[in-house]
Amino acid sequence: MTSAWELLLPAASAPARARGRALQEALRDAVRSGRLTAGTRLPSSRDLAADLGVSRGLVTDAYEQLTAEGYLRSGRGAGTWVGDAVRAPRPRARDLAPRSSGDLADFVPGTPDLSLFPRSAWAAAQRSVLTDLPHESLGYPDPRGLPRLRSALAELLARRRGVVADPERIVVVSGVAQATALLAGVLHARGMHTAGVEDPGSPQHSALYASAGVGTVPLPLDGEGLALGPLRASGVRVVVTTPAHQFPTGIAYSARRRAELLTWARSVDGLVLEDDYDGDFRYDRAPVGALQGLDPERVAYTGSVSKSLAPGLRLGWLLVPDWLADDVVERKRTTDLGHPALDQALFARFVEHGDYDRQLRVCQRAYRERRDTLVAALAEHFPGARVTGIAAGLHAIATLPGRHGPEERFLARVREAGVAVRPLTAYGHGGAAAAPAREVRLVLGYAHVTPGRIRAGVARMAQAV
Amino acid sequence: MTSAWELLLPAASAPARARGRALQEALRDAVRSGRLTAGTRLPSSRDLAADLGVSRGLVTDAYEQLTAEGYLRSGRGAGTWVGDAVRAPRPRARDLAPRSSGDLADFVPGTPDLSLFPRSAWAAAQRSVLTDLPHESLGYPDPRGLPRLRSALAELLARRRGVVADPERIVVVSGVAQATALLAGVLHARGMHTAGVEDPGSPQHSALYASAGVGTVPLPLDGEGLALGPLRASGVRVVVTTPAHQFPTGIAYSARRRAELLTWARSVDGLVLEDDYDGDFRYDRAPVGALQGLDPERVAYTGSVSKSLAPGLRLGWLLVPDWLADDVVERKRTTDLGHPALDQALFARFVEHGDYDRQLRVCQRAYRERRDTLVAALAEHFPGARVTGIAAGLHAIATLPGRHGPEERFLARVREAGVAVRPLTAYGHGGAAAAPAREVRLVLGYAHVTPGRIRAGVARMAQAV
């Protein structure tokens, strides 16, 4: 018995005389109870009759009767559907996806412009992959990722980011979060129970490490990157960094600090996790290559398509040192059996055909324009404001003159005016040096906001305060 | 500077007179060193010239020179590619995906027929989703899963599996492995440091629980399911079960044992994890509804599309009791920020349009025929063989008469003959009752093997021993 409609089976085995009525009652109950929900399409009367082992006429009758009663409805032409007349108190799915919180403009950092997603190139890649993929590629994938994608990523990351990229040491992951969680689990198993994090830094890291039982130590920055003294004193052997474009302060690690960081890692037999979250976007010069390229045995490198294509794709990569590779791959294999195969094949083709480079060029042009717009608008409406950090990435740091503070009052007024902004202090772990009392320092994400809205948002901010 | 080719930048800033040669050298080095790999497409001379800020003629010259030297090659019409003349010792990606191990037939259990994957219906869903999806749905998804998919799954699982399915308690995951890993992490944080597993059972569970720091206790089965005495004596409060079709023995839990299991869970304030890995496929009657339907606060329910569509999709679901829901969702959010959004929207549409029910019908028909073929072939070639377990799922248990043993000799001979089979003992945790000495008990997956190969494989086995 192959039916998807086994709830009707008892009716089908009723005595022949009562069978029709029993079938109708069972269908009615199913709709009333919510087991069949509004909009569900019913099988054709032929299919259902075959599945239940009853005559087709019995099913046709039941459909007609319940349609007459308002439980079911018929589409034009063919098809019968569950109607929406019944008010079963059926729970509905709420949506807890992150939402924009500004009416006029939300300068949340880290979000790309989703309208730039290259739908037609993506669709072409989808078609091609589904046509060409051999059947066996639909089985359980290599836990490290499809070989074809790892080769494409190795070429891409070597070329664009100066990474030393051996396809055998790339693990395809769902993004930087999963990369971090996997690595944290492996390090915990090797007895590293604390990790250093940049302060200020990404608010996600503490929870990520905690999920693997690893504690975090906030480590302060100076003008060149992670401050070395506190790092050495902390006793940690693992540290998470964003050397190409520190999040959120926007500085680039100095060449000297990059070298010092590696010397430190070697001296403690430790590891630097390089989160290259937006390293593709630099507007004033060529991007500085990844730290990993200098010492691939002391640096694990991670990145994703979340800033270049869309966070909803959940696709990223982790390059691991040789001494961690087997453990990381084994943990990936155990905990989710590898990344979706079709998605991987699709992205491999997208990279191979130059579509990814093209997308990066499109984003680079758009985001550079938006950054310029933001800087100009701030200069116009907040004379004396300073924009710090390098010209890169998807966000900027703006320090507004003291007369706009204190921060809390500023933020409250701006929020009321329909503009959402976040203060730099929101990214501190509590240990960072506080800003001078009346100064307001904002983390302004601009990539997903059109130039018009950037200008309007900044103007509105200025009016509000 | 937006170039994907920043490795050429130093050359572009060489003095005007030396620029052409510098560019050629840089390109040559990039190919020699493997930073540009064979088959990489170069930008058009116009694009590269613009990106580097040099004249187009310089780039055209460089392309021509290097093409002449064999570093690059020109396609017909347009396009310049990196040639494959240079023998840089570039590491290549190996493929560690699981592979079939039988020349003639591999009766590995748990694999569907990947050639039944509904490519055209899938392609239609892909097209429709990519066309219709609003931009904002490409952002970070709801960590529990897209509301649309959770609603579709709630309807599907209530109808097909008798599950009590509140969309607010469904978490979209990458499969049963991730569901188990998430749950194990949450239970560990709540102080449950050991879990019971069926013995014999899935070989994955120990590693899965270990990844979250949870130990496992193998618990023996009797004819009705998990034996109650050892379960009670074990002291565990969490147990993983496969009540609809125990893996691998193939029995269905008795109605009495189902009730007893829930009574036990309530008495220890515990949890039953119901792994409904192949519950859709039953050939002798309608599938027995899920245990979860009887007590959704004591049973977490998990399943996936790995048996019905393809394991490579990495898509599944976890239904959690209210008291665990927030923790599980938070762990999913922290460790991977939610499941890929496009994949979710695609599968939601696939379910809503009845495509998934249709696929299950197709598989049900094919797998029933294959099971019948296997049973008939065993009866013909191994008179006296017994096939045990219910007529369901993707594998059967065959006990061959004593004269074919001992097991090791049997397996060796069959392997030499090009047929891969696994003994039931391979799924034991060491505590299961041993089979009588000379009897051979095999776990035979048939779903992915064509009827012809099933017949040939069984015949070959019989010849070999």
Side-chain angles (χ1 to χ4, degrees), chain A residues 223-225 243 252-262 288 291 294:
Chain A
E224 297 189 65
Y253 276 42
S254 70
R256 185 176 65 171
R257 188 58 48 85
R258 290 159 63 96
E260 287 167 343
L261 199 54
L262 295 175
V288 175
L291 187 68
L294 300 176

Side-chain angles (χ1 to χ4, degrees), chain A residues 368-394:
Chain A
R368 185 209 309 241
E369 182 196 356
R370 290 168 194 201
R371 186 174 191 282
D372 291 346
T373 303
L374 176 68
V375 170
L378 286 167
E380 181 184 343
H381 296 286
F382 291 92
R386 281 178 299 123
V387 175
T388 52
I390 58 174
L394 281 61

Side-chain angles (χ1 to χ4, degrees), chain A residues 2 4 6 9 93-94 96 119 130 133 135 138 142 144 150 160 168 178 211 286 312 331 341 343 364, chain B residues 2 4 6 9 93-94 96 119 130 133 135 138 142 144 150 160 168 211 286 312 331 335 341 343 364:
Chain A
T2 71
E6 66 264 26
L9 262 186
R94 283 171 303 141
L96 294 188
R119 295 198 188 214
L130 204 52
L133 203 72
H135 292 319
L138 291 164
D142 186 323
R144 296 169 306 171
R150 287 185 285 118
R160 291 200 76 96
E168 295 299 300
Q178 188 179 54
S211 76
R331 196 169 173 89
D343 296 357
Q364 167 96 3
Chain B
T2 70
E6 67 266 25
L9 262 186
R94 283 173 301 141
L96 294 188
R119 295 199 186 213
L130 204 51
L133 202 72
H135 292 320
L138 291 164
D142 185 323
R144 297 169 306 172
R150 287 186 284 119
R160 292 199 75 95
E168 295 299 300
S211 76
R331 195 169 174 90
T335 53
D343 295 356
Q364 167 94 4

Side-chain angles (χ1 to χ4, degrees), chain B residues 381-383 385 399-411 413 438-440 461-462 465:
Chain B
H381 296 286
F382 291 92
T399 305
L400 306 185
R403 66 179 176 279
H404 294 295
E407 190 175 278
E408 273 152 46
R409 199 183 57 191
F410 176 89
L411 294 173
R413 288 188 176 172
R438 294 183 55 84
E439 233 176 51
V440 178
M461 270 203 283
V465 297

Side-chain angles (χ1 to χ4, degrees), chain B residues 198 221-228 241-246 249-263 272 274 282 285 288-292 294 389-390:
Chain B
E198 294 171 328
L221 305 167
D222 60 25
E224 298 188 63
L226 209 54
L228 273 181
T241 61
T242 46
H245 188 218
Q246 203 277 332
T249 65
I251 65 166
Y253 277 41
S254 70
R256 184 175 68 172
R257 189 56 49 83
R258 289 158 65 95
E260 287 167 343
L261 199 54
L262 296 175
T263 305
V272 177
E274 178 175 24
R282 177 110 192 211
R285 49 156 289 165
V288 174
L291 188 67
Q292 191 265 7
L294 300 177
I390 57 175

Side-chain angles (χ1 to χ4, degrees), chain A residues 1-7 9 35-37 40-41 43 47 51 90-98 114-115 117 119 122-123 126-127 129-144 147 150-151 154-155 158-162 165-168 174 177-178 181 204 207-208 211 282-287 306-307 310-314 331 333-343 357 361 364 368, chain B residues 1-7 9 35-37 40 47 51 90-98 114-115 117 119 122-123 126-127 129-144 147 150-151 154-155 158-162 165-168 174 177-178 181 204 207-208 211 282-287 306-307 310-314 331 333-343 352-353 357 361 364 368:
Chain A
M1 160 71 211
T2 71
S3 170
W5 303 83
E6 66 264 26
L7 63 161
L9 262 186
R35 292 187 79 189
L36 291 181
T37 52
T40 302
R41 184 180 189 153
D47 280 356
D51 279 354
R90 182 132 190 99
R92 287 181 52 112
R94 283 171 303 141
D95 191 348
L96 294 188
L114 299 172
S115 76
F117 186 78
R119 295 198 188 214
W122 202 257
Q126 277 185 336
R127 274 196 305 278
V129 161
L130 204 52
T131 307
D132 298 342
L133 203 72
H135 292 319
E136 63 265 27
S137 298
L138 291 164
Y140 287 103
D142 186 323
R144 296 169 306 171
R150 287 185 285 118
S151 292
E155 186 277 321
R159 172 163 56 78
R160 291 200 76 96
R161 302 297 300 126
D166 175 352
E168 295 299 300
S174 79
Q178 188 179 54
Q204 313 287 350
L208 266 168
S211 76
R282 177 107 193 212
Y283 313 118
D284 54 343
R285 51 156 289 164
S306 293
K307 306 289 184 276
L313 294 180
R314 309 306 312 124
R331 196 169 173 89
R333 196 192 67 74
T334 300
T335 54
D336 71 7
L337 295 174
H339 201 78
L342 281 174
D343 296 357
D357 285 314
R361 276 198 295 272
Q364 167 96 3
R368 185 209 309 241
Chain B
M1 161 68 210
T2 70
S3 169
W5 302 84
E6 67 266 25
L7 63 161
L9 262 186
R35 291 186 80 191
L36 291 182
T37 52
T40 302
D47 280 357
D51 279 355
R90 184 132 188 98
R92 287 182 51 112
R94 283 173 301 141
D95 191 347
L96 294 188
L114 298 170
S115 74
F117 186 77
R119 295 199 186 213
W122 201 258
Q126 277 183 336
R127 275 195 304 276
V129 161
L130 204 51
T131 307
D132 298 341
L133 202 72
H135 292 320
E136 63 265 28
S137 298
L138 291 164
Y140 287 103
D142 185 323
R144 297 169 306 172
R150 287 186 284 119
S151 292
E155 186 277 322
R159 173 164 57 77
R160 292 199 75 95
R161 302 296 301 127
D166 177 351
E168 295 299 300
S174 79
Q178 188 178 56
Q204 312 287 351
L208 266 167
S211 76
R282 177 110 192 211
Y283 313 119
D284 54 342
R285 49 156 289 165
S306 293
K307 307 287 184 277
L313 295 179
R314 308 308 310 127
R331 195 169 174 90
R333 196 192 67 73
T334 301
T335 53
D336 72 6
L337 295 173
H339 200 78
L342 280 174
D343 295 356
E352 290 162 0
H353 279 240
D357 285 315
R361 277 198 293 274
Q364 167 94 4
R368 186 209 307 241

Side-chain angles (χ1 to χ4, degrees), chain A residues 56-78:
Chain A
R56 189 174 171 190
L58 221 61
V59 176
T60 315
D61 286 352
Y63 280 14
E64 280 177 7
Q65 179 66 25
L66 268 79
T67 303
E69 293 174 5
Y71 288 93
L72 305 181
R73 61 187 169 79
S74 301
R76 280 167 205 256

Side-chain angles (χ1 to χ4, degrees), chain A residues 182-422:
Chain A
L182 287 173
L183 209 51
V186 167
L187 295 171
H188 182 269
R190 286 168 172 253
M192 298 195 198
H193 293 173
T194 50
V197 295
E198 294 172 327
D199 184 10
S202 163
Q204 313 287 350
H205 281 130
S206 299
L208 266 168
Y209 278 93
S211 76
V214 174
T216 41
V217 181
L219 296 170
L221 305 167
D222 59 25
E224 297 189 65
L226 209 54
L228 272 181
L231 171 62
R232 289 200 191 101
S234 70
V236 302
R237 290 170 53 208
V238 191
V239 70
V240 189
T241 62
T242 47
H245 187 221
Q246 202 276 331
F247 186 86
T249 65
I251 66 166
Y253 276 42
S254 70
R256 185 176 65 171
R257 188 58 48 85
R258 290 159 63 96
E260 287 167 343
L261 199 54
L262 295 175
T263 305
W264 166 83
R266 290 176 202 126
S267 73
V268 298
D269 190 19
L271 182 77
V272 178
L273 173 55
E274 177 175 25
D275 176 359
D276 197 31
Y277 68 104
D278 67 2
D280 277 303
F281 300 117
R282 177 107 193 212
Y283 313 118
D284 54 343
R285 51 156 289 164
V288 175
L291 187 68
Q292 191 264 8
L294 300 176
D295 192 345
E297 283 303 297
R298 287 294 157 205
V299 183
Y301 172 92
T302 181
S304 77
V305 303
S306 293
K307 306 289 184 276
S308 49
L309 282 165
L313 294 180
R314 309 306 312 124
L315 183 69
W317 40 85
L318 171 64
L319 276 63
V320 276
D322 205 29
W323 54 285
L324 286 171
D326 287 350
D327 286 5
V328 168
V329 170
E330 184 53 28
R331 196 169 173 89
K332 172 75 179 165
R333 196 192 67 74
T334 300
T335 54
D336 71 7
L337 295 174
H339 201 78
L342 281 174
D343 296 357
Q344 292 191 65
L346 196 167
F347 188 58
R349 186 189 184 279
F350 196 79
V351 172
E352 290 161 1
H353 279 239
D355 291 324
Y356 191 63
D357 285 314
R358 207 165 293 126
Q359 169 71 4
L360 288 170
R361 276 198 295 272
V362 168
C363 292
Q364 167 96 3
R365 267 196 300 275
Y367 299 164
R368 185 209 309 241
E369 182 196 356
R370 290 168 194 201
R371 186 174 191 282
D372 291 346
T373 303
L374 176 68
V375 170
L378 286 167
E380 181 184 343
H381 296 286
F382 291 92
R386 281 178 299 123
V387 175
T388 52
I390 58 174
L394 281 61
H395 74 277
I397 302 291
T399 305
L400 307 185
R403 65 178 179 281
H404 295 294
E407 189 175 280
E408 272 152 46
R409 200 183 56 190
F410 176 89
L411 293 173
R413 288 187 177 172
V414 165
R415 199 181 310 120
E416 275 167 30
V419 180
V421 294
R422 283 140 197 91

